[in-house]
């Protein structure tokens, strides 16, 4: 398979390896992407090539759903060495039943789905961005005010 390159930016590739349709929305630098809605079937992929913009966060993240499973995943962050962060290198993510696999140098690093989130969650992207992919779990508070915001409660 030929690697994609983007000399002035980054490329994020999402591959669906599940028999269930994956849906979601993606964000660039914390704002909803022009290609905001995605829908992937088994074997389908979607490629996102973006410029590195000086003075911006240079992040790419997606709020994804696989059946009853949900997750908000940072897929590229220029300042986070724990995930894809190197400009001009292909960043490949495989969507699997257990979560998203960041495939790099022949190794899969798994980021699990967050099955504790309700489908009613509508927290802002900035709130979700701050908790995504951390090793601790977060639960939605039982008290939602008019479904406008979510109050996150950290659990061990």
């Amino acid at each position: 398979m030929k690697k994609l390159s983007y000399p002035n930016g980054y490329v994020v590739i999402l591959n669906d390896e599940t028999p269930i349709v994956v849906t979601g929305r993606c964000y660039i630098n914390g704002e909803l992407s022009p290609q905001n809605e995605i829908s992937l079937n088994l074997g389908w992929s979607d490629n996102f090539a973006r410029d590195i913009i000086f003075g911006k966060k240079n992040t790419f993240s997606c709020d994804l759903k696989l059946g009853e499973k949900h997750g908000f995943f940072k897929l590229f962050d220029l300042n986070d060495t724990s995930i894809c962060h190197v400009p001009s290198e292909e960043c490949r993510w495989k969507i699997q039943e257990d979560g998203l696999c960041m495939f790099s140098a022949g190794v899969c690093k798994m980021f699990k789905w967050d099955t504790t989130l309700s489908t009613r969650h509508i927290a802002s992207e900035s709130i979700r961005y701050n908790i995504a992919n951390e090793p601790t779990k977060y639960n939605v508070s039982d008290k939602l005010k008019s479904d406008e915001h979510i109050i996150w409660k950290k659990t061990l």
Side-chain angles (χ1 to χ4, degrees), residues 5 22 24 28 45 49 53-54 57 64 69 78 97 99 105 112-114 117 127 129 137 146:
S5 66
V22 176
I28 300 169
S45 66
I53 302 171
F54 294 101
K57 292 187 271 183
L64 300 173
K69 300 173 185 176
L78 189 62
E97 294 281 340
K112 299 278 186 179
W113 296 104
D114 185 352
L117 290 179
I127 291 171
Y129 188 85
K137 292 183 181 178
S146 303

Side-chain angles (χ1 to χ4, degrees), residues 2-3 16 23 26 32 36 38 54 64 71 85 89 98-99 103 108-109 145-147 151:
K2 183 180 176 185
K3 284 201 170 230
D16 185 3
T23 59
C26 295
L32 200 55
N36 60 352
I38 63 170
F54 294 101
L64 300 173
H85 65 281
E89 286 189 8
D98 293 336
F103 195 75
C108 168
K109 181 176 179 182
K145 295 182 180 178
S146 303
D147 280 333
I151 301 167

Side-chain angles (χ1 to χ4, degrees), residues 10-14 25-36 38 46-52 57-64 72-79 83-85 91 93 100 125 129 132-133:
Y10 58 92
V11 175
V12 173
I13 301 168
L14 287 172
R25 292 184 177 171
C26 295
Y27 300 83
I28 300 169
N29 298 321
E31 297 178 12
L32 200 55
S33 166
Q35 291 177 307
N36 60 352
I38 63 170
D46 209 343
N47 303 329
F48 303 89
R50 299 290 178 254
D51 290 326
I52 296 293
K57 292 187 271 183
N58 291 296
T59 61
F60 186 81
S61 52
C62 292
D63 186 8
L64 300 173
F72 190 80
F73 300 94
K74 287 192 302 182
L75 304 176
F76 180 89
D77 187 334
L78 189 62
N79 299 308
I83 60 167
C84 294
H85 65 281
C91 183
W93 290 85
L100 267 65
E125 190 274 343
Y129 188 85
N133 299 327

Side-chain angles (χ1 to χ4, degrees), residues 80-140:
D80 185 348
T81 59
S82 69
I83 60 167
C84 294
H85 65 281
V86 179
S88 75
E89 286 189 8
E90 182 182 90
C91 183
R92 183 172 297 276
W93 290 85
K94 296 180 179 186
I95 302 168
Q96 300 176 344
E97 294 281 340
D98 293 336
L100 267 65
C101 167
M102 181 178 68
F103 195 75
S104 177
V107 177
C108 168
K109 181 176 179 182
M110 185 63 71
F111 293 81
K112 299 278 186 179
W113 296 104
D114 185 352
T115 56
T116 63
L117 290 179
S118 161
T119 57
R120 294 173 33 180
H121 80 283
I122 57 170
S124 71
E125 190 274 343
S126 61
I127 291 171
R128 285 181 274 155
Y129 188 85
N130 289 331
I131 66 161
N133 299 327
E134 290 186 12
T136 54
K137 292 183 181 178
Y138 290 80
N139 291 330
V140 177

